[in-house]
Amino acid sequence: MKHEKPTTSMGRARSAKDGKRPRLFSSLRAELSVLIAITTVLAFLIAWMLDIIGINGWMAMPLTITITLIFMYCTSRSFTRPLRQMRDVAESMAQGDYSARVRLRKSTNDEIGQLARSFNVMAEELEHADQMRRDMIANVSHELRTPVSALQAMVENMADGVVEPTPANMENILKQTHRLSDLISFLLDMSRVEAGASSLELERLNVAELIDETVGPLEYADAGHGHTIEQRIPDDLVVEGDEARLRQLLTNIIANALKHSRDDTAVLIEAHAGERGDTVIINVVNFGSDIPKEVRDDIFRRFVKGTSGPGTESGGTGLGLSIARWAAKLHGGTVQVVDDPRGVDFEITLPVRPPEPQARQEAGPGRDDEAAYAGQ
């Protein structure tokens, strides 16, 4: 999710200046070569004209140098303007303003223009990271405050004798402790993503059994919403991987589908071997909803929560899908949303045998794992 901010007056002024001069060449080297050639011809013409009007060499030389230097200074300012903008933007970012950008024409395709565009991408990522940091502090503070306040109130009432420690009251206390435990688990998982932890304890796993064991607790927790989970998985499908990480991956994807499904609807889990037989493909289909194509590349960004609709819940901390993709990448796999006329289809692709640890370490956590989108 990108957070748009109003353009500052400095940014508007820079944009207006840049709009005056389109670049005719796609290479800075070509532009400089043409400028040098024009300056050389200009110097020759000036010296020739001064000689015609009878000015001697001692006077003509400084005049020629002065005029050509003024010409080069005026024309070269347009080459260095993006560099000056990058300096100003960097200074603004150092002071905490991540909204400033280098303003360029779309036709500026030379090396400086490419550098400026890369600089803008970096500034946008830093702005997003700063916003996510602020959101994280607000989200975690809110998530912690609610169960802690409830626990404090219930324990104080019991200590004061206002309420009795009945099984129902103890069950309420237990629910609040579970909320705290879940939040702490999410934060620990997030720290593993930050650190790029990639240790795996590989073992041969039956995919049908793994998914069936994962679905059981989710069905129990989802009781009351009327969801049904249909499984279409061959009994002989196997994959080599870390059971805890794969269970974490499947739990987050399936829980996301349940959380954002209307009550009394179904979620389909399909699995099959890839065309070459070296991968396992798992599809989790949430019927009846949709994720627009333009946001599918951003839905795994951390702390970004999906909007709720009738019969759905957003909830959570906005980390589930980011952690799911991280767990898939540890195994050399991918998680993505694919086109499916039935609804939202999260497709998990896992290699039958994960890559060597060195390859996983070199891959590391990518930028697309920087945030989570807990469903749309």
Side-chain angles (χ1 to χ4, degrees), residues 8-78:
T8 61
S9 58
M10 179 178 69
R12 288 193 295 268
R14 289 199 298 264
S15 180
K17 290 182 180 179
D18 290 336
K20 295 180 180 179
R21 193 189 72 85
R23 292 286 177 88
L24 300 178
F25 302 95
S26 60
S27 171
L28 179 62
R29 181 182 299 177
E31 291 179 325
L32 291 176
S33 299
V34 171
L35 177 61
I36 293 172
I38 293 175
T39 305
T40 303
V41 173
L42 179 63
F44 173 79
L45 292 175
I46 293 173
W48 178 61
M49 292 177 61
L50 292 177
D51 182 66
I52 290 177
I53 63 178
I55 298 178
N56 60 46
W58 292 106
M59 291 291 294
M61 181 178 294
L63 283 174
T64 301
I65 293 175
T66 301
I67 295 173
T68 54
L69 285 177
I70 292 174
F71 172 78
M72 289 193 67
Y73 176 79
C74 293
T75 55
S76 63
R77 284 179 60 85
S78 60

Side-chain angles (χ1 to χ4, degrees), residues 138-158:
N139 292 341
V140 172
S141 299
H142 174 75
E143 294 287 344
L144 284 172
R145 181 177 58 187
T146 301
V148 168
S149 299
L151 279 173
Q152 181 179 358
M154 287 185 287
V155 172
E156 285 180 351
N157 288 337
M158 289 183 183

Side-chain angles (χ1 to χ4, degrees), residues 24-25 35 40 62 72-73 84 89 124 129 138 147 162 167 184 203 207 222 224 241-242 247 267 292 305 313 328 374:
L24 300 178
F25 302 95
L35 177 61
T40 303
M72 289 193 67
Y73 176 79
R84 295 195 301 271
V89 171
E124 185 175 338
V162 177
I184 293 171
E203 58 182 302
V207 176
D222 188 67
D242 187 307
R247 193 183 301 277
V267 170
K305 299 182 182 181
E313 301 175 4

